[in-house]
Amino acid sequence: TEAASEKKRWTLNDFDIGKPLGRGKFGHVYIAREKRSNHIVALKVLFKSQLKQSQVEHQLRREVEIQSHLRHPNILRLYGYFYDQKRVYLILEYAAKGELYKELQRCKHFSERRAATYVASLARALIYCHGKHVIHRDIKPENLLIGAQGELKIADFGWSVHTFNRRQTMCGTLDYLPPEMVESAEHDASVDIWSLGILCYEFLYGVPPFEAKEHSDTYKRILLVDLKFPPKPIVSAAAKDLISQMLVRETSKRMPLHKLLEHPWIIQNADPSGVYRV
Ligand SMILES: COCCOc1ccc2cc1OCC(=O)N(C)CCCNCc1c[nH]c3ncnc(c13)N2
């Protein structure tokens, strides 16, 4: 039963390890099969030495704590974890269609139907997280996976926090940082609305809106909300309207996630099942 599996002490011997699925900052991810149930999972292997030298043990503990309690079709399940002398192992739901950013690179940009379907499922996942006082703070293509039926899965909760302890730490790409995080000011769940707006733009145009050669220029463009819509690819006025209501400097004026799900562009384009069938 679920309770039993949560209590269970997993070891490497419980799994047949398959091909590597890719390499992250702190370790590799492999496809694996749990021997007793034949259940296919993803096994992320992290080296304790690297976690120690990067001082991210506490962050990983928080991530495991947060993700193991989240249950949502668009959030990658964390079934459990175990460790040995040198490594920490995360037992994760397997996303059969892999990394979204590779798919975005392959297609250059997504159709409005595909973009709206993904944005709507991410909005539902974020509404669920915010309902549990969890903000993700790192919504970007690299952290998104695609399940066997084409459904989107948020993975890599490395930067999520419970809203009562708001540590401001710069992380990864700057493109997704909202103004208040660029200014390291206090921030709340509305950071995820900003990032979702950035993501929606990148789904439709293939590049994030404030991209610039130099970091300093990206900062300036974010703080100015220097939002421009290129003539190509052709994007509907409804999509631009939604993005313009999410990328708003004043955090309280950003479109709330539940309003997003009622926006005409989402109603007209998102597949109600949250699944985009290619
Ligand atoms: C501290 O870590 C927290 C958890 O982070 C992850 C969980 C699961 C992941 C990837 C995660 O972090 C990013 C990362 O390691 N890479 C970018 C390299 C591997 C890419 N995944 C490829 C992949 C394909 N089908 C999958 N089904 C499930 N999980 C996967 C993948 N990867």
Side-chain angles (χ1 to χ4, degrees):
T1 65
E2 190 69 359
S5 70
E6 259 148 14
K7 297 285 169 300
K8 177 169 176 37
R9 283 266 157 277
W10 294 103
T11 73
L12 207 45
N13 288 334
D14 291 318
F15 301 92
D16 290 318
I17 311 295
K19 68 177 167 80
L21 292 169
R23 239 162 46 79
K25 291 183 286 285
F26 300 103
H28 293 70
V29 181
Y30 299 87
I31 191 166
R33 182 180 50 224
E34 200 277 316
K35 289 173 181 168
R36 231 178 308 286
S37 63
N38 277 334
H39 188 195
I40 300 293
V41 296
L43 205 60
K44 181 158 181 177
V45 183
L46 301 130
F47 287 91
K48 285 185 179 177
S49 54
Q50 280 183 351
L51 294 171
K52 214 176 292 300
Q53 80 189 51
S54 316
Q55 286 140 26
V56 291
E57 298 102 315
H58 66 283
Q59 190 184 309
L60 179 66
R61 248 188 284 281
R62 182 174 63 218
E63 159 179 338
V64 167
E65 179 57 30
I66 290 175
Q67 209 169 348
S68 56
H69 289 92
L70 297 179
R71 301 268 191 286
H72 189 278
N74 300 111
I75 296 176
L76 197 77
R77 273 295 306 277
L78 175 67
Y79 298 120
Y81 68 96
F82 57 95
Y83 46 85
D84 58 23
Q85 199 62 28
K86 291 205 215 108
R87 290 163 286 253
V88 176
Y89 303 84
L90 304 181
I91 309 164
L92 296 142
E93 174 185 1
Y94 171 58
K97 291 205 166 110
E99 297 171 270
L100 181 97
Y101 89 91
K102 286 182 180 169
E103 180 63 12
L104 183 53
Q105 279 174 345
R106 193 181 63 77
C107 307
K108 298 283 170 280
H109 57 83
F110 291 150
S111 68
E112 299 211 21
R113 268 193 350 92
R114 183 167 195 178
T117 301
Y118 287 157
V119 167
S121 47
L122 286 168
R124 286 193 294 271
L126 290 172
I127 289 168
Y128 170 82
C129 290
H130 295 170
K132 291 178 168 276
H133 309 295
V134 172
I135 47 180
H136 188 277
R137 295 195 318 170
D138 204 5
I139 301 293
K140 59 186 182 215
E142 292 75 11
N143 288 340
L144 302 175
L145 298 166
I146 307 175
Q149 274 72 41
E151 72 281 23
L152 210 57
K153 304 266 179 187
I154 303 178
D156 195 5
F157 270 71
W159 295 99
S160 55
V161 282
H162 274 109
T163 33
F164 41 80
N165 65 335
R166 299 179 190 136
R167 263 171 20 83
Q168 280 77 31
T169 38
M170 287 308 155
C171 46
T173 168
L174 304 172
D175 288 305
Y176 281 73
L177 288 182
E180 63 275 18
M181 279 181 86
V182 167
E183 284 182 333
S184 293
E186 280 296 283
H187 58 270
D188 60 17
S190 60
V191 301
D192 287 338
I193 299 170
W194 175 277
S195 302
L196 189 54
I198 301 284
L199 194 68
C200 185
Y201 184 103
E202 184 165 359
F203 284 164
L204 293 169
Y205 291 98
V207 291
F210 307 121
E211 199 173 51
K213 268 187 297 306
E214 303 299 326
H215 273 187
S216 54
D217 296 330
T218 304
Y219 273 128
K220 280 185 208 132
R221 295 198 61 203
I222 292 170
L223 292 174
L224 289 168
V225 192
D226 175 27
L227 181 59
K228 294 179 186 125
F229 297 108
K232 291 282 177 213
I234 294 176
V235 169
S236 67
K240 293 174 190 169
D241 174 73
L242 176 58
I243 292 169
S244 308
Q245 294 197 59
M246 298 174 81
L247 300 182
V248 172
R249 172 117 203 204
E250 174 59 47
T251 61
S252 62
K253 296 224 176 16
R254 284 174 200 161
M255 173 176 281
L257 290 169
H258 66 276
K259 292 289 266 178
L260 176 147
L261 292 174
E262 296 156 11
H263 188 277
W265 183 66
I266 295 287
I267 300 293
Q268 285 150 22
N269 292 282
D271 185 300
S273 69
V275 171
Y276 177 79
R277 279 184 188 71
V278 189

